[in-house]
Amino acid sequence: MAPLNIYKGFILIVSCGMSVWLLRTIIKDLTSSKQVKSKPSYNFRQNTEPHKSPSTLGIPEDGFHIIYFFPKLTTDPTQRVVSQILNKQRELELMKVSELNLMHDQVAQLHVMYLDDSVKQDFINYKMVNKHKLTMHKVHRDPTHRDTFELINNKLLKKNLIILNNDNYLSQGWESINKTSLEKVMYAMTRRGRNETSNSPGKCSMPDFCGPTNTYIGSHDAFAFRLTKPINEELLREFDFKMYHYGAENVFIWLFQNKMGFQTLNPCKEVYIYNMHCVKTGWTYTGKKKRINVNRVRKQSGMAPFSLLAPLD
């Protein structure tokens, strides 16, 4: 019986320890939420180099218009408490990524698509610099790239565009992009990685997919280009796939190369985007993802290996 009693005692100690950890996490989350409403606690200077301070100037006329979808992660009341806390922390992390993009001096406007109305309210409540550069767009389904291009057709023709994954932010080098080339060159950028600072768990090290010793693996998180005329219905149907599917970026590149006549470049060693995913949330697209760059009518799997910038005219 002694081993059994020891085992029960061990389980009790572990359970108590988990309870204390959970209580501390809840208190920390509530505290950080209050801090965010009054003053963002993020170390922006560290993460926006070489930009020395947040830009609070006017909107640059030839700047980039970033587009991405912002999900609501905390809508399921059946989730475990721990998962709800992590999802809330992840939402705050994504909000900070949005602020980093708003702070960039090459960004003219950040266009955030949202499905849940509470996302718009979250952006209203969250105090961030350069909110005058933020535009919210209501969508009526979990969006595909078709929804993004319908937004472009209706409101963003002849603008310098970046379709970006929502946990990535722009950094150095974007001022070097030859914007006159964007009507014929699409930049499909691979993300960089470095040490990041987040509200929780604090600091983390993100993997670098375009470092000095990295080889190209077909990964892309940002697409920069400009359209001068609307995409037709036939091509919109081709873009009607979710951006989080495996191989989605490769189908995206293939369509630009083969259906739209764009050259694709990937100067990720000169023009940087960084990924921030310190919070290991319980929310995931796992179970919804499928590979879409094979077994289609054609094998639509475009590539954009590491390259140099397009030359200036």
Side-chain angles (χ1 to χ4, degrees), residues 217-228:
I217 60 172
S219 174
H220 302 269
D221 285 88
F223 305 94
F225 58 93
R226 180 168 60 233
L227 297 182
T228 59

Side-chain angles (χ1 to χ4, degrees), residues 69-84:
F69 174 65
F70 197 103
K72 186 66 177 178
L73 309 184
T74 54
T75 56
D76 185 359
T78 65
Q79 286 182 326
R80 294 182 303 127
V81 174
V82 174
S83 294
Q84 292 184 42

Side-chain angles (χ1 to χ4, degrees), residues 118-290:
S118 64
V119 170
K120 183 177 182 179
Q121 191 60 46
D122 289 343
F123 271 91
I124 292 172
N125 294 339
Y126 192 95
K127 292 185 178 181
M128 59 175 65
V129 299
N130 288 354
K131 196 178 282 190
H132 63 287
K133 294 163 66 172
L134 174 67
T135 303
M136 306 293 294
H137 302 274
K138 173 75 172 180
V139 294
H140 300 285
R141 63 170 182 168
D142 184 11
T144 68
H145 278 302
R146 176 187 177 122
D147 298 282
T148 303
F149 280 104
E150 287 179 344
L151 172 62
I152 294 170
N153 280 353
N154 293 329
K155 298 184 177 182
L156 296 173
L157 292 176
K158 299 182 180 180
K159 302 291 186 182
N160 301 321
L161 305 172
I162 301 175
I163 296 178
L164 185 66
N165 284 345
N166 61 15
D167 58 357
N168 286 261
Y169 61 91
L170 274 56
S171 187
Q172 65 207 56
W174 286 90
E175 70 283 354
S176 303
I177 292 283
N178 177 10
K179 295 184 176 68
T180 62
S181 72
L182 291 172
E183 293 178 11
K184 54 188 178 182
V185 177
M186 189 266 280
Y187 292 89
M189 307 300 300
T190 297
R191 69 177 185 245
R192 307 299 304 262
R194 61 179 173 185
N195 292 331
E196 295 288 352
T197 303
S198 180
N199 64 310
S200 177
K203 295 184 178 181
C204 69
S205 180
M206 298 303 303
D208 192 340
F209 289 178
C210 185
T213 60
N214 286 92
T215 56
Y216 175 70
I217 60 172
S219 174
H220 302 269
D221 285 88
F223 305 94
F225 58 93
R226 180 168 60 233
L227 297 182
T228 59
K229 60 183 180 180
I231 287 181
N232 61 38
E233 176 61 29
E234 180 182 356
L235 193 52
L236 284 174
R237 286 197 295 268
E238 293 261 26
F239 278 110
D240 200 14
F241 56 88
K242 302 288 176 61
M243 53 202 74
Y244 54 74
H245 284 318
Y246 298 118
E249 65 263 52
N250 306 111
V251 177
F252 190 99
I253 292 169
W254 189 94
L255 290 170
F256 264 78
Q257 291 171 336
N258 294 277
K259 295 297 184 74
M260 300 171 68
F262 275 73
Q263 179 187 1
T264 53
L265 296 176
N266 181 10
C268 59
K269 296 183 186 295
E270 302 174 75
V271 181
Y272 288 19
I273 56 171
Y274 284 107
N275 177 243
M276 185 186 296
H277 201 152
C278 293
V279 179
K280 304 306 179 185
T281 175
W283 181 89
T284 176
Y285 282 120
T286 300
K288 297 182 181 181
K289 286 186 174 184
K290 59 182 179 181

